[in-house]
Amino acid sequence: MGLWRVPLLIGFAGFLLSMLLSSGLPWPGSLQRAASLLGDQWNRMSASDSTESRVVIVDIDEASLKALGSWPWERKALAQLLTQLFETHQVAAVGLDLVLPEPRDLEGDEAIQQLLQAYPLVLSQAFGLGQSQAADAGEVSSRWPQEVELASGTAIAQASGHVGHHAGLNPRCTGHISWLPEDDGVVRRLPLLLRYRDQWHASLSLAVLACMGLLPEKVTMVPRWPAGQILSAGFLDLASDTQGLWSIPYTRSNQAWLSVPAHLAYESREPISALRGAIVLIGSSALGVSDRVATPMAASQAGVVVHAQATAALLDQISQEDPKAQSSWIGVKAWFLVQGLCLLAISFIVVSCRYRRYLSLAMSSAGLAIGLTLSSFMLTDTHQLQLVLGPPIAIACAALASLAWSLRNERQTAGRLRRLFADYVPANVLEHLLAEGSAQPLSPSREHLVVMFVDAVGSTRLARHESPEVFAQKLRGQLDAWTALIHQHGGTLDKYLGDGLMAFWGAPLSTPDDADRALEAALAIQAAAGLSKRIGIASGEALVGDLGTSMRRSYTALGEVVNRAERLQREASADGILLDQALAQSVKRHQVQTCGARLLPGYDGEVETYRPV
């Protein structure tokens, strides 16, 4: 469980972070701005280029101002344009993205009033939101919705100040054209409903549909978990944030909109096919009118496009076979689904971290974060940025934490391996262990080993005839030569034993020819110049690993095979090699012959012994 502890803690912390980020709590400003920019990019990438024929813009553009005069036009000119739209071009409804706060020519105002009563024509009103304070001008009126049912925990945007229509107009349908730009000036949200002077005021897009009779008179607002609320009106279920602001679904590219210059609609005596049966929004792209805003789709475009995007999004929902099916994914279902996907992704990171698949961890975590973000955008309404981006952020943090811990762990393991094995295994074996980076060689485990003992013959006599310094130098040179031969044949030095040594094959790395390697090392030591030596080799199972104490670490082997090899070394003749039966049966590249059964010290029965030919 020890090796799992930290990865599991990182995974648990990452999942908690995912739930926290998508719980509805406010994000830091910089993180929220980054989320908004990513949402803008998604809107631009996913926006449809297909022509939107249900909503058409009649544009008061530069050419129209040149043809019909500078803005504001005489009311009779505006009335004539509206008459043309309804009677000649046979549009379904008209929404005016402009306000008429002052009376002008009486004849034109009277004509507009008659059109307001005869056709689904929606006048606009502007209100101050947030820190903005609109100057009070004109009248405000609202006939839809007639009733709003607010559940506990919901909120409605409160307006301050207004610019409305003049008292000479008495419209059946009105809608507000107010929105709340973000800190970067981009219009991403608007209030579907706002409250002003004890009246409910619907957005222009909702008001147009209501004026066409597509919406009921009653609207309900209920909380939506994890953060926000749902406005329900007939077929519509629209999600907004905790302030009652609806993120506008920018689902159409700028190339998708049909735009008819206002002067062509005004002058044409023949019906314009693009206008027939369409909802028309009248606005202006002319620079002199100053009705331009920044949106996710462009740094500057006509404000009427914002209302066109909103109207098309509402029509999309109404036209579905089950309009509320999509909204059922908003909230609890989507939250749990996305969190479940996040949990799977973090689990994969934990497993990759535990089993040291670091390249897989880095690449897969990036892929999973991007894939989860795209899936979230498709499963939920795109303005749920906390729901959409919280889990991918948590996945990225969990991956970075896992990589940081893994790097630290690898460095510690490499240091331990280098300190422990540098003098005991060949350089290539050490580099392989460091490349693997696993702490597994340090953990005691049962392995099949080939154990060899080498002991110098005549060292006692040499010590009597030489000074301690000379004797030590000669013995060190002899042990260095033997150790080099052991390393050359892939063996691991266990320890020096006075004038001898113990070595083994099979750990920390094992090969199929460990028996032959050990015997080849013994033959090379036997042929080496210097002191005579006795060599014993045995094969069998032993416990091998870091079997030292808290005071001193020691990578060594313990078991009966170790004792057997040491006893064989004692029984060997000077410059002789003695093998046990298990090793004799394992060698493939060398010939051996029996030396008969021997009674080894500490063994009850005789042990078959062999020597190389």
Side-chain angles (χ1 to χ4, degrees), residues 347-573:
S347 299
F348 184 83
I349 291 174
V350 168
V351 173
S352 298
C353 176
R354 166 59 184 83
Y355 289 105
R356 304 172 50 257
R357 300 294 188 264
Y358 303 130
L359 180 60
S360 298
L361 189 155
M363 296 181 64
S364 61
S365 59
L368 289 169
I370 295 172
L372 184 57
T373 301
L374 296 177
S375 298
S376 301
F377 271 124
M378 289 185 287
L379 285 173
T380 66
D381 52 330
T382 57
H383 73 277
Q384 291 182 280
L385 291 176
Q386 289 176 312
L387 171 61
V388 169
L389 297 181
I393 290 174
I395 290 174
C397 290
L400 289 175
S402 297
L403 288 172
W405 176 81
S406 299
L407 179 61
R408 174 180 176 274
N409 190 51
E410 290 296 311
R411 285 182 175 177
Q412 288 183 340
T413 300
R416 292 172 63 192
L417 290 172
R418 191 177 294 278
R419 289 191 299 271
L420 194 57
F421 287 110
D423 297 328
Y424 299 104
V425 298
N428 63 326
V429 175
L430 178 58
E431 292 305 317
H432 181 81
L433 292 175
L434 294 176
E436 288 291 321
S438 173
Q440 190 63 33
L442 302 178
S443 303
S445 61
R446 287 178 174 268
E447 304 291 344
H448 189 87
L449 301 183
V450 176
V451 182
M452 180 173 72
F453 278 82
V454 183
D455 185 62
V457 177
S459 59
T460 303
R461 183 175 63 257
L462 180 64
R464 290 200 305 267
H465 293 86
E466 302 285 358
S467 66
E469 291 80 7
V470 173
F471 173 71
Q473 183 178 5
K474 289 184 176 180
L475 184 59
R476 183 182 299 114
Q478 192 72 76
L479 293 175
D480 281 345
W482 296 349
T483 302
L485 292 171
I486 290 170
H487 285 179
Q488 180 181 335
H489 291 86
T492 299
L493 177 67
D494 185 302
K495 62 177 71 71
Y496 292 118
L497 303 166
D499 57 355
L501 59 78
M502 170 186 169
F504 53 80
W505 283 254
L509 298 178
S510 64
T511 62
D513 60 344
D514 282 336
D516 286 292
R517 287 170 178 261
L519 185 52
E520 288 164 0
L523 292 171
I525 293 172
Q526 182 186 50
L531 297 172
S532 296
K533 68 287 293 180
R534 292 191 300 268
I535 302 174
I537 312 176
S539 177
E541 190 177 76
L543 184 67
V544 61
D546 184 2
L547 298 171
T549 67
S550 59
M551 304 298 293
R552 179 170 178 168
R553 310 192 74 89
S554 177
Y555 186 79
T556 188
L558 297 176
E560 185 273 332
V561 67
V562 177
N563 297 330
R564 192 184 333 136
E566 192 272 337
R567 302 296 191 273
L568 290 171
Q569 173 263 311
R570 289 188 191 182
E571 292 294 317
S573 60

Side-chain angles (χ1 to χ4, degrees), residues 79-303:
Q80 178 60 30
L81 172 61
L82 294 172
T83 300
Q84 280 284 93
L85 290 173
F86 282 113
E87 296 182 358
T88 302
H89 305 305
Q90 299 181 2
V91 301
V94 174
L96 288 177
D97 182 26
L98 48 93
V99 184
L100 309 177
E102 298 175 352
R104 294 183 68 83
D105 53 296
L106 182 59
E107 179 183 353
D109 282 336
E110 289 179 349
I112 291 176
Q113 177 59 37
Q114 292 177 1
L115 293 168
L116 288 170
Q117 300 302 316
Y119 297 104
L121 172 61
V122 182
L123 287 190
S124 292
Q125 304 171 123
F127 297 93
L129 295 174
Q131 301 298 322
S132 64
Q133 177 72 42
D136 289 333
E139 303 290 328
V140 293
S141 61
S142 175
R143 291 187 173 86
W144 191 91
Q146 293 184 0
E147 182 182 354
V148 176
E149 181 180 334
L150 292 178
S152 176
T154 56
I156 290 290
Q158 301 292 322
S160 57
H162 74 274
V163 177
H165 56 82
H166 65 83
L169 299 177
N170 182 27
R172 290 187 305 114
C173 305
T174 58
H176 76 77
I177 52 174
S178 305
W179 47 58
L180 192 65
E182 308 287 335
D183 293 340
D184 56 3
V186 178
V187 175
R188 300 185 181 93
R189 302 180 299 165
L190 62 80
L192 292 166
L193 286 179
L194 58 79
R195 187 77 168 164
Y196 182 70
R197 291 184 179 177
D198 297 327
Q199 285 185 331
W200 302 105
H201 296 275
S203 66
L204 178 61
S205 52
L206 276 176
V208 168
L209 299 185
C211 197
M212 295 171 65
L214 299 179
L215 301 179
E217 297 296 330
K218 180 179 179 180
V219 170
T220 60
M221 295 284 291
V222 296
R224 180 200 63 179
W225 191 84
Q229 50 201 34
I230 294 287
L231 180 149
S232 294
F235 293 116
L236 296 177
D237 269 359
L238 304 175
S240 58
D241 61 19
T242 53
Q243 300 172 287
L245 298 176
W246 179 53
S247 290
I248 304 160
Y250 287 92
T251 56
R252 272 77 177 173
S253 70
N254 291 336
Q255 291 72 36
W257 301 108
L258 290 174
S259 180
V260 177
H263 72 95
L264 292 183
Y266 180 92
E267 296 167 352
S268 177
R269 294 296 175 261
E270 298 294 329
I272 297 176
S273 59
L275 295 175
R276 184 181 180 87
I279 295 174
V280 167
L281 299 179
I282 300 178
S284 176
S285 65
L287 296 177
V289 181
S290 301
D291 183 23
R292 302 191 70 83
V293 296
T295 72
M297 310 307 291
S300 176
Q301 62 183 147

